[in-house]
Amino acid sequence: MMVFAESRQGGGRVRAILSLFVLALALTWSLPSHAFLGGDDEKPTKKCPSGKAWSGRAGKCVALKSGSLSDEDLTRAGRQLARDGHYQEAIAVLDTVADKNNALVLTYLGYSHRKLGDVDLGISLYHEALAIDPENVDTREYLGEGYVTKGELDLAYLELVAIEKRCGTSCKEYQALEKAMRSGQSQY
């Protein structure tokens, strides 16, 4: 509770202004796609021309069309687009994943919608992801940041506690959410 008490005392805390965007769901493929060969911290190693993405199964760049990429490839591509700040493109790619109950897909759809200003939709998608994978500290950290954006620090604190139970206070997810709570601003 110490963190929560300190964050509430930051008298000059600026609350984020929520703005809703009308999302174009058309695929705009104006940016190059990337290949993704590893875990969370690895950088993309292959670049593909616009309208194509790396297929691990085919071992080459393939057109982004129904059935041309596996759900795994689409999930990795969508996640990387979201992390790179290409939120509308991430949503377009993640919406093509056949498995609509994939916690990672739901997390990065939530992340993208939240970053585009639809915080409530993002939070709702994070809850769906946590119903599937309650141990995911990335999802919990993003959910906490959504609560920070809305000024709901009590709910953000509950996520901070849940993260601490899963990975302690030294993991990056705990530290990012704690920093967001202290500053009153989303870190990711």
Side-chain angles (χ1 to χ4, degrees):
M1 289 197 131
M2 179 69 97
V3 172
F4 177 66
E6 286 181 33
S7 67
R8 300 262 341 209
Q9 292 172 0
R13 188 179 86 233
V14 176
R15 292 185 189 229
I17 298 171
L18 300 178
S19 59
L20 299 176
F21 292 94
V22 177
L23 299 177
L25 296 179
L27 300 175
T28 59
W29 311 116
S30 61
L31 299 169
S33 297
H34 303 279
F36 313 95
L37 302 176
D40 285 347
D41 296 325
E42 290 189 33
K43 298 286 183 199
T45 58
K46 300 272 185 184
K47 289 191 178 185
C48 297
S50 180
K52 294 186 177 188
W54 182 259
S55 168
R57 183 177 19 167
K60 63 181 182 178
C61 293
V62 297
L64 287 167
K65 62 182 181 184
S66 179
S68 64
L69 293 170
S70 70
D71 275 2
E72 183 180 340
D73 290 333
L74 290 167
T75 299
R76 277 190 238 140
R79 183 177 102 200
Q80 192 62 47
L81 285 166
R83 286 181 167 185
D84 289 346
H86 306 294
Y87 308 120
Q88 290 181 325
E89 291 86 353
I91 291 167
V93 170
L94 293 168
D95 277 343
T96 66
V97 173
D99 180 5
K100 301 302 182 193
N101 291 315
N102 180 316
L104 190 59
V105 169
L106 292 166
T107 295
Y108 282 96
L109 279 170
Y111 180 84
S112 296
H113 283 289
R114 176 174 65 89
K115 297 301 270 183
L116 285 171
D118 195 343
V119 179
D120 290 328
L121 177 56
I123 287 172
S124 173
L125 290 163
Y126 296 145
H127 282 289
E128 287 183 47
L130 288 171
I132 297 165
D133 182 8
E135 300 303 310
N136 191 320
V137 293
D138 283 329
T139 305
R140 291 190 175 281
E141 194 269 324
Y142 296 149
L143 175 58
E145 295 220 13
Y147 289 139
V148 168
T149 299
K150 291 183 70 166
E152 297 175 348
L153 296 180
D154 52 338
L155 296 175
Y157 177 74
L158 294 176
E159 294 308 317
L160 188 68
V161 170
I163 293 168
E164 181 180 8
K165 287 179 184 176
R166 288 161 176 81
C167 65
T169 60
S170 61
C171 67
K172 68 181 181 174
E173 295 81 6
Y174 181 93
Q175 292 175 353
L177 182 52
E178 182 182 43
K179 183 176 180 182
M181 291 176 67
R182 287 182 189 273
S183 71
Q185 297 179 348
S186 177
Q187 302 299 299
Y188 293 103

